[in-house]
């Protein structure tokens, strides 16, 4: 059975007809053409499908789309504004933190979200914050470095903000 | 799905309860089951994600009530739980990944009755009771040990849903939670332990609680050992004796299996070091 889903995706109000049992991941990719969100494992283990729902990261492969009524969903496409990449995306490029790139959207969103919550995250805390994301190519070192760089650019050593 | 309902209040939700109902909260179990071919075409799915009164934590004196749809992450962030039940904060912090903690709920982890649940030992440590409400709006409470029958099976009736979990504050107790997982962060627990201890002024034990999860089909509290320890001092000999006794009890219940070879000595060592740690 089909139902109507009304929700906010990347700051846009969206009204879309979906199957009752559709996954958020499929609605994003197939109905809305937002292909930045990837499907890896499909069972909540790899984080390739990570999106931000009401301010917190979630795996869209195990999110029922119908549950998303009146929610605030942000995908990787939200990040770049007027052709400018988000500092986290820049940092991934600068640190060569991607090879095939399949895991990257998920890592970028997890990285942003962990720093928002804990701007002075230690390396250990960064690792924990990224623990729901799997990369088969890079070996993680560069990814962790990329997140550390964003942290360090925003904050002095003594923790005061540069902004 | 035969029907899909997304009620906004508990009352509205009760209207939809029927024999073929399936609840969805975080989705971390149900969507995986669906992916694995679990057929819901004959089921009514009741979506609990839009009922504000079903999430949050309330504290009244020594009792804390965690509403069923409170996420693991919101348990971790809750001040009352941090203050009164640190073992539960640690347990919820050790669930899955950040994403899973943002999605999965405390009611879900109790309702699915997975033997590997991380919050379960900490909930049992605090004399956890599940509060159930039926279609008529009547509530009943049941201790978690009675509610969980075996893996995947609870005493939840067809016309009931989980409303909340009530736990006792262990504010005065020294507490600890320890988990051994298969893999760094995503690990489903292979073994988890929760302990709490309260001492008299003369260093003897006033009260102690010991729970082990994931070693047995159901999470177990060691009441007989707890009772035996009251009034005693935790000497090294006693700790040795207790950890031996606990590991032997687990072996006796679980029976000799392949995994016991690994688990039994580990249980003994972990119980030993946790007790020692709590002693200092
Ligand atoms: S595709 Fe969703 S976690 Fe792997
Ligand atoms: S860059 Fe290929 S999986 Fe991470």
């Amino acid at each position: 059975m089909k139902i109507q889903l009304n929700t906010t995706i990347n700051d846009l109000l969206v009204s879309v007809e979906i199957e009752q049992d559709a996954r958020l991941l499929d609605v994003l990719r197939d109905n809305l053409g937002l292909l930045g969100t990837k499907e890896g494992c499909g069972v909540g283990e790899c984080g390739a499908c990570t999106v931000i729902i009401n301010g917190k990261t979630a795996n869209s492969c195990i999110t029922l789309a119908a549950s998303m009524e009146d929610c605030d969903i942000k995908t990787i496409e939200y990040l770049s504004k007027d052709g400018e990449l988000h500092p986290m995306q820049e940092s991934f490029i600068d640190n060569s933190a991607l090879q095939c790139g399949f895991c990257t959207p998920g890592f970028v969103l997890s990285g942003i979200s962990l720093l928002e919550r804990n701007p002075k995250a230690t390396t250990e805390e960064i690792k924990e914050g990224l623990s729901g994301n799997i990369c088969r190519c890079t070996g993680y070192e560069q990814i962790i470095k990329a997140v550390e760089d964003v942290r360090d650019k925003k904050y002095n050593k003594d923790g005061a903000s540069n902004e | 799905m035969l029907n899909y309902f997304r009620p906004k209040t508990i009352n509205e939700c009760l209207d939809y309860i029927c024999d073929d109902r399936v609840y969805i909260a975080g989705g971390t179990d149900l969507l995986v089951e669906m992916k694995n071919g679990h057929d819901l075409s004959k089921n009514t799915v009741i979506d609990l994600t839009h009922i504000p009164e079903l999430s949050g934590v309330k504290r009244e004196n020594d009792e804390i009530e965690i509403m069923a749809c409170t996420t693991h992450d919101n348990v971790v962030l809750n001040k009352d739980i941090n203050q009164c039940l640190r073992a539960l904060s640690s347990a919820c912090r050790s669930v899955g990944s950040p994403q899973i903690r943002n999605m999965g709920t405390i009611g879900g982890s109790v309702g699915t009755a997975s033997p590997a649940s991380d919050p379960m030992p900490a909930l049992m440590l605090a004399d956890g009771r599940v509060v159930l409400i039926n279609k008529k709006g009547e509530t009943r409470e049941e201790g978690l040990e009675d509610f969980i029958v075996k893996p995947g099976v609870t005493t939840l009736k067809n016309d009931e849903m989980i409303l909340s979990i009530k736990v006792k504050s262990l504010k005065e107790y020294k507490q600890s939670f320890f988990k051994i997982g298969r893999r760094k962060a995503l690990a489903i627990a292979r073994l988890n332990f929760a302990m709490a201890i309260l001492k008299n002024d003369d260093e003897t034990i006033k009260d102690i609680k010991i729970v082990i999860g994931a070693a047995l089909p159901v999470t177990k509290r060691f009441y007989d050992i707890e009772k035996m320890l009251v009034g005693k001092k935790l000497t090294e000999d006693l700790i040795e004796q207790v950890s031996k006794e606990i590991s032997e009890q687990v072996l006796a219940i679980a029976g000799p299996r392949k995994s016991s070879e690994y688990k039994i000595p580990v249980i003994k060592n972990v119980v030993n070091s946790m007790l020692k740690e709590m002693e200092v």
Side-chain angles (χ1 to χ4, degrees):
Chain A
M1 255 241 292
K2 290 204 189 266
I3 52 167
Q4 201 68 22
L5 171 70
N6 302 294
T7 195
T8 303
I9 299 179
N10 298 337
D11 282 350
L12 290 175
L13 273 171
V14 173
S15 182
V16 52
E17 190 173 69
I18 59 163
E19 289 293 336
Q20 277 179 348
D21 59 358
R23 307 177 300 170
L24 174 60
L25 174 66
D26 297 323
V27 171
L28 292 174
R29 292 182 57 89
D30 303 342
N31 299 51
L32 302 170
L34 294 168
L35 300 177
T37 308
K38 309 292 183 197
E39 173 160 19
C41 65
V43 292
E45 285 175 9
C46 75
C49 66
T50 301
V51 296
I52 295 184
I53 301 172
N54 297 337
K56 290 190 180 187
T57 54
N59 297 316
S60 60
C61 70
I62 50 171
T63 298
L64 192 69
S67 293
M68 293 294 102
E69 185 80 7
D70 290 329
C71 286
D72 172 22
I73 301 162
K74 297 206 163 82
T75 68
I76 190 75
E77 285 86 355
Y78 178 79
L79 295 182
S80 66
K81 293 269 141 64
D82 306 321
E84 290 238 351
L85 293 179
H86 185 282
M88 188 65 77
Q89 292 172 306
E90 295 284 2
S91 185
F92 268 65
I93 297 171
D94 295 345
N95 283 286
S96 312
L98 59 148
Q99 286 178 31
C100 78
F102 199 79
C103 67
T104 314
F107 269 104
V108 166
L109 290 175
S110 287
I112 293 172
S113 143
L114 81 89
L115 286 186
E116 260 169 22
R117 187 165 169 156
N118 181 6
K120 291 178 239 169
T122 62
T123 304
E124 253 342 280
E125 287 165 342
I126 289 174
K127 283 187 191 166
E128 208 293 316
L130 298 175
S131 63
N133 296 78
I134 291 176
C135 175
R136 308 205 313 172
C137 306
T138 67
Y140 301 102
E141 289 299 315
Q142 299 93 323
I143 295 177
I144 293 160
K145 183 75 182 15
V147 180
E148 285 175 333
D149 274 7
V150 175
R151 174 199 64 193
D152 296 342
K153 271 185 201 133
K154 258 189 147 171
Y155 289 88
N156 284 326
K157 275 202 192 90
D158 60 16
S161 178
N162 283 334
E163 285 167 79
Chain B
M1 292 179 197
L2 201 57
N3 291 301
Y4 169 79
F5 297 116
R6 195 178 46 230
K8 290 206 165 73
T9 64
I10 293 170
N11 267 338
E12 185 193 349
C13 182
L14 299 181
D15 280 347
Y16 300 133
I17 294 183
C18 54
D19 280 346
D20 62 9
R21 95 282 180 279
V22 170
Y23 300 111
I24 179 164
T28 54
D29 285 287
L30 192 66
L31 273 278
V32 172
E33 281 176 25
M34 282 163 71
K35 165 102 182 169
N36 293 337
H38 184 111
D39 178 20
L40 288 177
S41 60
K42 304 241 156 34
N43 288 106
T44 293
V45 174
I46 305 182
D47 186 335
L48 306 176
T49 56
H50 281 59
I51 308 179
E53 36 179 345
L54 263 192
S55 70
V57 177
K58 302 174 206 162
R59 176 176 172 190
E60 232 190 289
N61 303 321
D62 264 1
E63 189 171 79
I64 299 172
E65 180 169 20
I66 309 167
M67 300 311 289
C69 290
T70 311
T71 61
H72 300 298
D73 192 54
N74 283 336
V75 170
V76 172
L77 295 173
N78 184 269
K79 283 204 191 76
D80 284 324
I81 293 176
N82 260 307
Q83 243 181 40
C84 304
L85 208 49
R86 288 171 299 283
L88 183 60
S89 308
S90 324
C92 285
R93 195 175 290 120
S94 84
V95 169
S97 63
Q99 289 95 321
I100 299 288
R101 289 196 290 280
N102 291 339
M103 304 170 74
T105 67
I106 206 86
S109 82
V110 168
T112 51
S114 156
S117 158
D118 281 313
M120 188 59 77
L123 293 171
M124 279 192 187
L125 194 73
D127 300 332
R129 302 179 65 74
V130 54
V131 184
L132 306 154
I133 185 164
N134 70 12
K135 196 168 167 64
K136 290 186 215 144
E138 299 158 342
T139 56
R140 71 176 171 104
E141 282 185 33
E142 193 166 21
L144 283 171
E145 277 128 303
D146 298 320
F147 181 67
I148 311 282
V149 179
K150 57 180 182 186
V153 180
T154 66
T155 68
L156 185 82
K157 302 195 185 92
N158 270 346
D159 69 339
E160 288 180 324
M161 64 182 259
I162 300 179
L163 198 58
S164 64
I165 317 294
K166 283 185 180 167
V167 286
K168 288 226 183 78
S169 161
L170 298 178
K171 198 172 175 192
E172 314 300 326
Y173 289 66
K174 199 162 183 182
Q175 301 163 43
S176 96
F177 173 84
F178 186 82
K179 166 181 179 174
I180 297 176
R182 209 178 280 267
R183 200 163 42 124
K184 209 179 59 196
L186 278 179
I188 287 179
R190 291 199 85 179
L191 284 173
N192 49 23
F193 306 77
M195 290 187 198
I197 187 167
L198 183 67
K199 284 200 222 158
N200 294 308
D201 291 338
D202 66 353
E203 290 295 299
T204 56
I205 296 172
K206 189 168 180 194
D207 193 20
I208 184 163
K209 299 161 191 281
I210 304 172
V211 191
I212 300 184
L216 294 164
V218 291
T219 302
K220 179 177 163 59
R221 219 171 117 181
F222 292 83
Y223 288 107
D224 51 337
I225 293 175
E226 295 175 4
K227 235 185 248 155
M228 181 274 279
L229 285 169
V230 171
K232 299 198 172 136
K233 272 190 191 166
L234 264 186
T235 59
E236 217 158 289
D237 280 353
L238 188 56
I239 290 177
E240 181 62 27
Q241 188 194 325
V242 166
S243 39
K244 190 159 167 270
E245 174 68 26
I246 288 181
S247 59
E248 278 168 6
Q249 281 196 21
V250 173
L251 184 64
I253 306 168
R257 321 175 184 186
K258 201 91 208 111
S259 64
S260 304
E261 266 171 49
Y262 158 79
K263 281 182 177 174
I264 300 303
V266 173
I267 289 173
K268 181 166 180 285
N269 289 334
V270 173
V271 170
N272 197 303
S273 59
M274 280 177 83
L275 286 171
K276 274 188 188 147
E277 211 176 280
M278 297 216 289
E279 193 41 32
V280 289

